[in-house]
């Protein structure tokens, strides 16, 4: 089986702006520069493909859907042996993002996926999903609700751990970062319940947990995007975290993200919904390949 490292993404539009302002960065942020945000997005997407990833990009069909670039919440791809992947739709908390799924579902269909809807509660999809050592981690307590998590959990095969987080970790991907290339799980105990931290220690072993503080995750310590032994990270990640990652043998690749991260509040990991799938089960229309989207962004100069 040929495995594809799939990244669903959505470029900011030419009129991209901050609407919901629902996280600790965006609430007080000044207006964004949409053209610069598009350049930041494209630099990340190209770095992903340069490392063997496959980017499938869906441009926003409306200037009102300004949350679409944060594609971790577009849905969750779940691979199935010998069958087309599932695409589990999100159920978003913020009103301005609730119709995004109406555009991601047709894309998933066009790729050959089977689309399913949890149908209950709030569930913010890949933003609240991680995998480590064959275990699926499902998060709730930031925006995802427990009933939403439970409704989505039935679509995930194998072992599942439920982890409760709190603000400023509005998603689980702010609390935990799997680093499979070095067999470590970066964890911020400050933003999860003691019971959830204990669950991670017991399941994976304390020696495999790389602990960071709330102050460090406010600078996106847990929000870099590992691709192989590289971590595509926003330039605001603290030097202390970079040094710890590099000491493990990882290479931190810095991405300036003044618009998407420092103002918008979402980093490289927030900009993708990622899954490993059987390449033979997917068909990617040319219009959604990165090469087509890149031409449009490059044309802006």
């Amino acid at each position: 089986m040929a495995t594809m490292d799939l990244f669903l993404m959505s470029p900011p539009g030419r009129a991209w702006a901050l609407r919901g302002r629902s996280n600790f960065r965006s609430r007080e942020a000044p207006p964004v520069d949409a053209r610069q945000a598009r350049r930041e997005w494209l630099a990340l997407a190209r770095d992903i493909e340069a490392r063997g990833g496959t980017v499938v990009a869906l441009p926003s069909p409306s200037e009102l859907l300004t949350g679409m670039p944060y594609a971790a919440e577009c849905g969750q791809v779940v691979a199935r042996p010998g069958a087309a992947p599932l695409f589990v739709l999100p159920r978003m908390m913020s009103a301005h993002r609730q119709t995004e799924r109406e555009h991601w579902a047709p894309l998933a269909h066009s790729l050959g996926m089977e689309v399913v809807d949890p149908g209950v509660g709030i569930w913010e999809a890949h933003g609240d999903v991680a995998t480590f050592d064959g275990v699926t981690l499902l998060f709730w307590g930031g925006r995802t609700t427990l009933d939403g998590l439970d409704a989505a959990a039935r679509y995930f095969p194998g072992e599942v751990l439920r982890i409760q987080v709190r603000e400023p970790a509005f998603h689980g991907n702010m609390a935990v970062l799997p680093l499979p290339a070095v067999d470590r799980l970066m964890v911020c105990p400050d933003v999860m319940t003691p019971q959830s931290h204990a669950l991670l220690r017991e399941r994976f072993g304390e020696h495999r947990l790389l602990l960071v503080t709330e102050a460090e995750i406010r600078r996106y310590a847990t929000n870099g995007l590992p691709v192989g032994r590289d971590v595509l990270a926003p330039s605001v990640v603290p030097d202390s975290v970079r040094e710890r990652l590099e000491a493990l043998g990882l290479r931190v690749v810095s991405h300036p993200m003044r618009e998407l991260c420092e103002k918008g509040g979402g980093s490289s990991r927030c900009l993708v919904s990622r899954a490993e799938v059987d390449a033979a089960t997917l068909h990617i229309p040319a219009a959604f390949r990165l090469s087509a989207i890149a031409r449009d962004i490059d044309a802006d100069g």
Side-chain angles (χ1 to χ4, degrees):
M1 179 184 80
T3 299
M4 177 187 293
D5 197 3
L6 176 68
F7 296 80
L8 301 180
M9 300 182 69
S10 179
R14 289 183 174 86
W16 184 68
L18 301 179
R19 290 189 65 216
R21 295 183 176 270
S22 57
N23 66 65
F24 67 92
R25 286 273 184 177
S26 63
R27 285 181 192 122
E28 305 298 330
V32 294
D33 178 338
R35 179 177 290 189
Q36 179 59 30
R38 284 162 63 82
R39 293 192 192 107
E40 293 171 4
W41 181 93
L42 183 57
L44 176 67
R46 282 176 164 156
D47 261 9
I48 289 169
E49 290 220 327
R51 288 159 176 79
T54 298
V55 171
V56 173
L58 176 65
S60 174
S62 167
E63 293 181 2
L64 297 178
L65 296 178
T66 55
M68 280 189 70
Y70 301 106
E73 290 79 61
C74 77
Q76 176 68 40
V77 178
V78 180
R80 298 185 293 177
L86 288 179
F87 185 73
V88 188
L89 290 170
R91 298 177 60 83
M92 299 294 292
M93 180 190 78
S94 298
H96 78 289
R97 299 198 64 182
Q98 289 171 358
T99 60
E100 292 175 15
R101 56 189 252 146
E102 297 170 11
H103 306 285
W104 287 107
L107 173 66
H109 279 301
S110 73
L111 295 173
M113 299 181 189
E114 179 184 343
V115 177
V116 295
D117 184 350
V120 174
I122 301 298
W123 186 64
E124 299 223 339
H126 191 69
D128 278 317
V129 179
T131 58
F132 184 66
D133 196 19
V135 180
T136 299
L137 309 178
L138 297 181
F139 302 91
W140 68 284
R143 293 179 185 163
T144 289
T145 57
L146 185 56
D147 59 341
L149 180 155
D150 286 338
R154 68 183 185 271
Y155 297 113
F156 292 87
E159 184 180 356
V160 172
L161 295 184
R162 290 162 169 79
I163 304 297
Q164 185 178 1
V165 300
R166 65 160 182 85
E167 286 274 1
F170 45 89
H171 290 129
N173 70 14
M174 292 290 292
V176 168
L177 174 62
L179 299 166
V182 292
D183 194 38
R184 293 292 186 274
L185 187 67
M186 186 181 286
V187 173
C188 181
D190 298 346
V191 294
M192 62 180 61
T193 63
Q195 296 88 342
S196 291
H197 183 208
L199 194 60
L200 295 176
R201 288 199 311 268
E202 291 162 9
R203 177 58 184 83
F204 301 119
E206 192 154 9
H207 67 287
R208 299 168 78 191
L209 305 187
L210 183 66
L211 303 186
V212 291
T213 66
E214 179 176 332
E216 288 171 325
I217 73 158
R218 285 180 176 272
R219 293 181 59 190
Y220 295 89
T222 48
N223 222 219
L225 181 65
V227 186
R229 299 187 75 86
D230 289 350
V231 180
L232 310 181
S235 56
V236 294
V237 167
D239 289 341
S240 59
V241 174
R242 294 172 187 276
E243 291 163 4
R244 293 172 73 191
L245 293 174
E246 289 167 356
L248 289 170
L250 297 171
R251 185 168 76 110
V252 178
V253 180
S254 183
H255 274 256
M257 290 186 173
R258 183 189 66 203
E259 308 304 319
L260 291 169
C261 178
E262 295 176 47
K263 295 180 184 178
S267 179
S268 32
R269 201 166 159 219
C270 299
L271 295 168
V272 306
S273 181
R274 180 183 190 178
E276 287 194 357
V277 298
D278 180 353
T281 64
L282 291 187
H283 166 71
I284 304 174
F288 302 116
R289 293 275 187 181
L290 179 59
S291 55
I293 305 301
R295 282 194 296 272
D296 181 61
I297 296 175
D298 284 337
D300 290 343

